[in-house]
Amino acid sequence: MNIVAVTACATGVAHTFMAKRALEDAAKKQGHQIKVETQGATGIENELTQSEIEQADIVILAVEVGIAKKERFEKVKKVEIPISTAIKNADGLLNKIKEKLQM
């Protein structure tokens, strides 16, 4: 799968980057490509382009707060989850998405 994701927590520090790392590790382990944008205390980092978003098989929004530029994701396949899900069970999340997309 080609995955793009956004992670954002209330304080925009620890959990944002823990979720990023968990998603990246799970994707790499399962052989998927992933790019993760973080939105936090330092603003938007590793910002996703519209082309990357449109070419993705799925967009994962692992967020606990409202995110900037959310309108970019209106017309694409996406799943919005609590950030804790990404941190605690990124492997299971990707497996579930893969099943639903039948990839």
Side-chain angles (χ1 to χ4, degrees):
M1 283 190 296
N2 180 22
I3 305 163
V4 296
V6 176
T7 61
C9 68
T11 58
V13 185
H15 289 111
T16 297
F17 294 97
M18 289 169 65
K20 175 185 187 290
R21 172 64 134 224
L23 289 169
E24 289 173 339
D25 289 350
K28 182 179 179 182
K29 177 180 162 188
Q30 294 186 24
H32 304 303
Q33 292 190 341
I34 191 167
K35 180 175 178 183
V36 182
E37 171 182 302
T38 57
Q39 293 192 18
T42 58
I44 296 175
E45 294 181 13
N46 205 29
E47 187 168 354
L48 299 169
T49 67
Q50 194 61 42
S51 176
E52 289 169 327
I53 294 165
E54 291 169 2
Q55 292 176 17
D57 295 311
I58 191 73
V59 174
I60 299 171
L61 302 177
V63 298
E64 294 293 330
V65 294
I67 58 171
K69 303 181 180 183
K70 189 171 182 175
E71 66 279 356
R72 299 176 290 168
F73 309 109
E74 287 178 0
K75 296 180 181 176
V76 296
K77 289 182 186 178
K78 65 184 165 292
V79 59
E80 191 164 343
I81 58 163
I83 201 163
S84 61
T85 301
I87 294 168
K88 293 177 183 174
N89 192 14
D91 274 320
L93 171 67
L94 295 184
N95 287 334
K96 193 175 215 177
I97 289 170
K98 191 167 45 174
E99 274 181 30
K100 287 193 175 196
L101 294 178
Q102 296 185 0
M103 299 187 100

